[in-house]
Amino acid sequence: LALLASILGAVAGSTVSAQTVSLGLSVLSSPVRAGERAVYAVTVSNRGSSSTGSFTLTATVPPFTSVAINEVTPGASCSTGTTPCTAGQELRWTTSLTAGQSRSFAFAALVTSTSPPPFGTTLSSTFNAIGFGATTTAEARIGTEETVGDAV
């Protein structure tokens, strides 16, 4: 949680808007290697003049990864009700936003080391603000030894 708390202030990247809700997205650690964590963060903003009411924000767990519930912004649950949340499953947060309000959410996905993905593999996570049509995808990549070494 300390890692997630420290990165939430640094959320930046692509933004997708639908109706009154927008999603600003970033991957805070890419490239990554087997055994490392790819950190995904999204800021959900209400651009409208009234409250959103309660809605669900989802994020798919990327391929070749798993997410421990203690490495997620508090309030999340896994679509299967079990932990860790594994590749293809969804993390879900229920939230609401007042007019002009924004909230940030993040998770750290551990890249499997037992059957590591090949270099260059894309680790995609799709975020969706259900009921607002706001959807966006973030991608981390499995780096080559050279690119990971250069990124350090």
Side-chain angles (χ1 to χ4, degrees):
L1 285 178
L3 169 66
L4 294 177
S6 69
I7 62 167
L8 285 176
V11 175
S14 63
T15 300
V16 174
S17 297
Q19 297 175 1
T20 60
V21 172
S22 67
L23 302 175
L25 185 63
S26 67
V27 177
L28 303 173
S29 51
S30 181
V32 293
R33 290 188 274 195
E36 295 180 342
R37 286 171 175 74
V39 180
Y40 299 80
V42 65
T43 297
V44 183
S45 301
N46 180 356
R47 306 268 185 231
S49 58
S50 61
S51 174
T52 61
S54 182
F55 67 95
T56 301
L57 174 70
T58 64
T60 56
V61 175
F64 302 103
T65 69
S66 62
V67 178
I69 205 64
N70 66 340
E71 296 194 87
V72 176
T73 300
S77 63
C78 186
S79 58
T80 61
T82 61
T83 58
C85 203
T86 58
Q89 296 174 344
E90 285 186 339
L91 293 165
R92 296 178 179 164
W93 294 268
T94 299
T95 192
S96 63
L97 299 170
T98 59
Q101 183 181 18
S102 295
R103 283 206 178 121
S104 295
F105 301 87
F107 68 91
L110 178 64
V111 179
T112 183
S113 57
T114 55
S115 297
F119 293 129
T121 298
T122 300
L123 306 176
S124 297
S125 179
T126 300
F127 288 81
N128 183 10
I130 296 185
F132 291 95
T135 302
T136 190
T137 300
E139 296 180 344
R141 293 208 184 270
I142 299 297
T144 64
E145 291 182 29
E146 293 79 27
T147 59
V148 171
D150 291 345
V152 174

